[in-house]
Amino acid sequence: MNAIQLRQLFRDQFGYEEGVRIFFAPGRVNLIGEHTDYNGGYVFPAALTYGTWAAAAPSTSRMYRFASANFPSTATCTVTEELLYREEDDWANYPKGVLKELLQIAGLEGAEKFMGADVLYYGNIPNGAGLSSSASIELVTGLALSKLADFDIPMMGLVEIGQKAENRFVGVNCGIMDQFAVGMGRENHAMVLKCDTLKFRYVPLEIDGYKLVITNTNKRRGLADSKYNERRAQCEEGLSIIQQQLPLVRNLGDVSLAEWEKVHHYIEDDVIHRRVEHVIKENERVLAATKCLQDNDLYEFGARMKQSHISLRDLYEVTGFELDTLFEEASKVEGCVGTRMTGAGFGGCSVSLVKEEAVDEFKEKVAKNYSEKTGLEPIFYVCEIGDGAKEIMYMGE
Ligand code: GLA
């Protein structure tokens, strides 16, 4: 799909194409640092070149119309009505949630600028695969609607709006990682982010001779009905026990390994103990892995990826048969130096660091063995790391 085709689709949908502008927001892959974001810890994601495009034109009707080239359902809402989550609006609840948050942040005066718009979306991120298709649609909507309204808001503001829309409107209690990576991504860079202070740094992804391969288990999962919120609650329970010993600790991301050694026995419940242990050690792993990458030690980086998967499997228990099978089969391929699940887990995708010359063998062997064991066909994406949300200026793109 290029911009010309997207404009054509916009015209088919809305009957005109004057004033159309095109926006893009990527999906993301998290290289390491899983289930640490809502604990105020570190994450290390990067933006993909897969994503969501939005062809959008302003109107003065005070009406917002959202349509998609991927899904049949559409939604129309006016700025004067109360914006409510409606099951039948399906995917369009994401743009509605973003619009609601934008209007709220704009306040009475700013809201005047939001006169209406028509938006046609097209996306190529597999849904429910853990590559942040929802954050992608949130960010592309925030960017498009704010630009069309000439409402000045920094990208970090749109990142927070996306997360709030997801938390308050859609009802998934996610952390900030996905929206951050999708909004702030930079070509050929990953980002190490501390999720409570939002301090971050770009790290060049110099992996010459290697490829990042994303493998989709093709086991569908929905975050909302997963055990995601349960894990969050378990972390909070663990945190409150630790805080009785270490009152200055604000979140699990603050707890060092040395402190953990001192206080871990206060957590008597075995499940809570394992959840917290994962978070604290994963947090340390992010920093160690980032350093490996900067030192160009891809073997050590890959080793950290594998440790992360094992911890998510044994301590955090969010992998499951399909992701564990992918992990085992990928680990058997000699040219695969690192592999792990990415995203929330419970299905979705893994990410592997594979020597360029071994990519074909990797795909072949993993596909064969994974299918034999699970009865599912995996899909591979040899991925490029791209930019965060932006307006697309060139017609050929
Ligand atoms: C999902 C959430 C993120 C993060 C990951 C797990 O992708 O949206 O906020 O919690 O799971 O690391």
Side-chain angles (χ1 to χ4, degrees):
M1 176 83 61
N2 61 31
I4 299 173
Q5 291 164 319
L6 196 60
R7 278 171 182 271
Q8 185 56 48
L9 286 176
F10 182 95
R11 174 193 275 280
D12 295 346
Q13 180 73 36
F14 296 113
Y16 69 96
E17 65 169 285
E18 295 75 36
V20 169
R21 290 163 68 178
I22 297 194
F23 303 87
F24 169 76
R28 69 94 188 90
V29 59
N30 187 23
L31 300 178
I32 194 160
E34 220 65 84
H35 290 279
T36 44
D37 67 345
Y38 51 83
N39 286 302
Y42 289 101
V43 291
F44 195 45
L48 300 171
T49 49
Y50 296 99
T52 314
W53 286 259
S59 78
T60 48
S61 59
R62 303 215 137 244
M63 217 191 294
Y64 282 85
R65 296 191 291 181
F66 302 114
S68 161
N70 300 81
F71 304 106
S73 60
T74 59
T76 300
C77 45
T78 55
V79 284
T80 42
E81 75 186 88
E82 194 191 350
L83 293 167
L84 295 172
Y85 182 94
R86 293 194 331 187
E87 198 78 40
E88 62 272 28
D89 286 339
D90 195 30
W91 65 273
N93 281 303
Y94 292 99
K96 278 175 61 183
V98 169
L99 175 60
K100 185 170 182 170
E101 292 294 339
L102 268 173
L103 292 171
Q104 207 151 321
I105 251 194
L108 268 187
E109 220 169 284
E112 288 296 310
K113 293 183 160 190
F114 289 82
M115 298 292 287
D118 293 328
V119 190
L120 189 270
Y121 297 90
Y122 165 75
N124 62 3
I125 311 172
N127 294 307
L131 302 177
S132 294
S133 53
S134 35
S136 176
I137 193 169
E138 286 154 13
L139 265 292
V140 82
T141 304
L143 185 64
L145 299 191
S146 60
K147 289 279 184 208
L148 294 184
D150 212 5
F151 179 68
D152 200 16
I153 179 166
M155 189 57 79
M156 272 312 286
L158 295 177
V159 165
E160 281 170 344
I161 281 182
Q163 188 199 14
K164 280 187 190 147
E166 183 113 11
N167 291 169
R168 305 206 273 221
F169 201 79
V170 182
V172 179
N173 215 2
C174 66
I176 192 81
M177 170 172 73
D178 301 349
Q179 288 77 11
F180 176 88
V182 167
M184 303 295 289
R186 181 186 283 180
E187 198 178 357
N188 294 328
H189 287 73
M191 295 153 277
V192 56
L193 166 73
K194 183 79 164 52
C195 296
D196 54 351
T197 59
L198 297 184
K199 281 203 177 130
F200 72 99
R201 167 165 76 80
Y202 290 102
V203 180
L205 208 53
E206 279 156 4
I207 54 169
D208 284 352
Y210 288 81
K211 290 282 177 197
L212 279 174
V213 183
I214 292 177
T215 311
N216 190 346
T217 57
N218 269 326
K219 179 186 182 223
R220 274 198 65 97
R221 54 143 196 94
L223 259 190
D225 50 45
S226 73
K227 299 263 182 192
Y228 187 85
N229 289 348
E230 184 187 291
R231 292 293 182 281
R232 282 196 73 140
Q234 290 166 335
C235 289
E236 275 159 30
E237 201 178 324
L239 174 65
S240 67
I241 299 172
I242 291 181
Q243 281 172 329
Q244 286 163 20
Q245 307 308 318
L246 303 170
L248 294 182
V249 159
R250 288 156 308 164
N251 52 53
L252 292 181
D254 278 349
V255 183
S256 68
L257 273 182
E259 285 170 329
W260 169 243
E261 289 309 324
K262 281 190 207 134
V263 300
H264 77 95
H265 56 274
Y266 288 100
I267 302 181
E268 283 166 17
D269 183 306
D270 178 48
V271 173
I272 307 288
H273 190 281
R274 277 185 281 138
R275 305 296 188 249
V276 174
E277 183 175 351
H278 163 77
V279 173
I280 292 170
K281 294 191 173 167
E282 179 79 353
N283 209 28
E284 296 277 336
R285 256 192 300 274
V286 178
L287 295 180
T290 317
K291 180 153 190 320
C292 298
L293 195 61
Q294 279 168 328
D295 296 345
N296 218 2
D297 191 345
L298 295 185
Y299 277 92
E300 273 304 312
F301 182 77
R304 297 295 191 294
M305 291 174 80
K306 289 183 186 171
Q307 288 164 9
S308 166
H309 184 96
I310 291 168
S311 177
L312 289 155
R313 181 189 70 194
D314 299 343
L315 300 178
Y316 218 66
E317 296 180 282
V318 289
T319 53
F321 179 62
E322 291 80 6
L323 282 169
D324 289 334
T325 306
L326 268 192
F327 175 74
E328 275 151 36
E329 296 309 326
S331 301
K332 285 182 195 160
V333 179
E334 216 190 292
C336 170
V337 297
T339 184
R340 60 183 290 276
M341 57 152 269
T342 183
F346 312 104
C349 290
S350 71
V351 57
S352 309
L353 187 59
V354 186
K355 281 192 179 140
E356 214 163 332
E357 70 265 18
V359 169
D360 287 340
E361 179 199 349
F362 176 88
K363 287 191 199 166
E364 215 173 283
K365 288 194 173 151
V366 173
K368 180 172 172 290
N369 298 338
Y370 175 77
S371 305
E372 266 172 28
K373 291 187 174 161
T374 63
L376 296 168
E377 296 286 330
I379 298 180
F380 300 94
Y381 307 88
V382 178
C383 63
E384 306 289 330
I385 300 306
D387 280 333
K390 60 183 178 184
E391 182 164 7
I392 303 268
M393 297 296 184
Y394 299 104
M395 287 300 289
E397 279 188 82

